[in-house]
Amino acid sequence: MEAQIKDQFGRPHTYLRISLTDRCNLRCFYCMPENGIQLMEKSNIMSLEEIIRIAQIYQSLGVNTIRLTGGEPLVRKNIDYLIRQLANLGVNLKITTNGILLDKYLDLFQEVGLKQINISLDTLDKAKALFITKRDYYHRIMDNIQSAVDSGLHVKLNVVLIKGVNDQEINDFISLTKNNPIAIKFIEFMPFKGNQWDWEKGVSQQEILDTIREKFKAVEAVDNPAHSTSVNFRIKGHLGSFGIVSTITNPFCSECNRIRLTADGKMKNCLFANSETDLLTPLRENKDIRSLILESIKTKKFSRDGMEGKLDPSVYEKNRSMISIGG
Ligand code: SAM
Ligand code: SF4
């Protein structure tokens, strides 16, 4: 299927991230604002059939990869039905989860051939996990990560690094790659509505690499897959690898092929885009949303919704909170 969703820079968009819900069983402070969010009305959230329909339309326009996210995608009711239907479309299906409910779905993932899974794990310390997520699920998440690795899934661990919170653990995460075939994905702390972002708290790509090179001498670059959002490395002799998502200090926008769909059916061209295109209302009115998708992508800016230099609070504070975008 030829990629038809092209922006004004000629970038084909073939990767759709669908948020299934703005609900979550954790409260990570960098994602969910301290005072919570105004939850979406249930009637405004895409039904499973609507998600499948929209996914089919994107597929007909050349999308070949779909990542399910949220909020926490696995809290969505009847997600097993949705996963089966999306897998039947023949797209490359992936998921990002906090891991709490993973044990219930490992057999299903095996059955439908869902192989790539990102699990958020910011710390290897139980008390710190409670501080970051405000909920006590640490052991359950760790057990589920082990089960996911044992079941043969390609596991990436997403680690958002925050100074004074978990930056001392960078090399502990690297040590995990010695005997485990996992990839650690260190993510620079990004600004969204209400998450009290301040780059003083962020840890840059350079700082991460310097910290790792101090302890591990044999850091090797590995080939980055096309459209990768991370620069990737491994330690010679380790089974696993690591990558850095440097959205703040070294954005990877030039080859961007990603589109987002929020749980209430709004197309977002970029994580940082304040403008959205409502697809759900016209879909419910039986209108053809293909032209809306093709027009919307033409408004995509080259990088970070136009914040090519400094990140501007008057822009990102108008965005949604990460939990209701779908990371
Ligand atoms: N609940 C699932 C999870 O935590 O994996 C999926 C949704 S979560 C919004 C997706 C990813 O976004 C997680 O890996 C999370 O760590 C990351 N994330 C959330 N807020 C972020 C921020 N302010 N900066 C960087 N990454 C963030
Ligand atoms: Fe929930 Fe994921 Fe956000 Fe944490 S990062 S609050 S697990 S959606």
Side-chain angles (χ1 to χ4, degrees), residues 136-159:
D136 186 9
Y137 285 114
Y138 177 73
H139 290 299
R140 193 151 150 189
I141 293 169
M142 293 304 279
D143 288 350
N144 282 345
I145 291 173
Q146 190 60 56
S147 305
V149 173
D150 293 345
S151 77
L153 287 171
H154 302 163
V155 174
K156 279 192 188 168
L157 297 183
N158 286 1
V159 185

Side-chain angles (χ1 to χ4, degrees), residues 7 11 28 39 45 81 122 127 130 136 152 160-161 172 209 212 226 237 239 251 264 298 304 314 323 325:
D7 68 5
R11 294 177 293 194
C28 308
L39 288 172
I45 293 181
Y81 169 75
D122 298 314
L130 185 59
D136 186 9
V160 179
L161 286 172
D172 298 337
L209 277 173
I212 296 170
L239 272 184
D264 55 351
K298 296 290 181 217
R304 297 195 309 209
S314 72
I323 192 158
I325 299 174

Side-chain angles (χ1 to χ4, degrees), residues 20 72-76 79 83 95 97 99 101-102 105 109:
L20 302 186
E72 172 48 38
L74 295 180
V75 304
R76 179 77 197 240
I79 189 180
I83 288 176
I95 193 164
T97 171
L101 298 172
L102 201 49
Y105 296 100
F109 294 167

Side-chain angles (χ1 to χ4, degrees), residues 143-315:
D143 288 350
N144 282 345
I145 291 173
Q146 190 60 56
S147 305
V149 173
D150 293 345
S151 77
L153 287 171
H154 302 163
V155 174
K156 279 192 188 168
L157 297 183
N158 286 1
V159 185
V160 179
L161 286 172
I162 315 263
K163 271 205 181 103
V165 176
N166 59 353
D167 55 333
Q168 298 303 316
E169 295 187 63
I170 292 173
N171 284 327
D172 298 337
F173 278 103
I174 295 296
S175 296
L176 285 183
T177 67
K178 188 168 194 318
N179 297 316
N180 294 293
I182 55 172
I184 307 294
K185 200 162 108 174
F186 294 114
I187 306 176
E188 289 182 348
F189 179 31
M190 294 184 257
F192 299 98
K193 184 176 180 177
N195 78 347
Q196 297 179 17
W197 182 81
D198 176 352
W199 185 238
E200 293 285 301
K201 301 180 205 162
V203 187
S204 70
Q205 172 177 328
Q206 195 56 52
E207 288 171 294
I208 298 167
L209 277 173
D210 289 348
T211 303
I212 296 170
R213 286 195 174 114
E214 250 171 53
K215 172 153 185 200
F216 297 94
K217 300 302 165 207
V219 177
E220 297 177 334
V222 299
D223 287 343
N224 299 316
H227 310 291
S228 175
T229 55
S230 52
V231 273
N232 300 297
F233 305 88
R234 69 186 178 100
I235 309 297
K236 197 171 179 195
H238 282 206
L239 272 184
S241 61
F242 70 96
I244 304 171
V245 180
S246 50
T247 318
I248 307 301
T249 64
N250 185 20
F252 37 77
C253 304
S254 61
E255 275 190 60
C256 184
N257 67 343
R258 280 145 216 250
I259 317 159
R260 296 185 139 77
L261 185 65
T262 61
D264 55 351
K266 309 282 195 302
M267 170 169 168
K268 250 175 159 2
N269 289 328
C270 171
L271 196 48
F272 294 105
N274 287 341
S275 59
E276 301 177 344
T277 301
D278 182 11
L279 301 181
L280 184 58
T281 310
L283 186 90
R284 286 181 175 175
E285 292 165 353
N286 286 321
K287 293 188 179 141
D288 184 12
I289 61 170
R290 279 180 184 76
S291 55
L292 289 175
I293 294 171
L294 297 174
E295 276 162 34
S296 168
I297 204 69
K298 296 290 181 217
T299 66
K300 178 161 175 157
K301 310 227 173 99
F302 186 72
S303 178
R304 297 195 309 209
D305 202 42
M307 291 185 289
E308 278 161 36
K310 205 171 167 300
L311 288 151
D312 181 351
S314 72
V315 177

Side-chain angles (χ1 to χ4, degrees), residues 24-28 30-32 70-72 98 120 322-323:
C24 188
N25 36 13
L26 294 182
R27 295 284 178 278
C28 308
Y30 51 73
C31 177
M32 169 71 122
E72 172 48 38
N98 61 30
S120 295
M322 178 60 130
I323 192 158

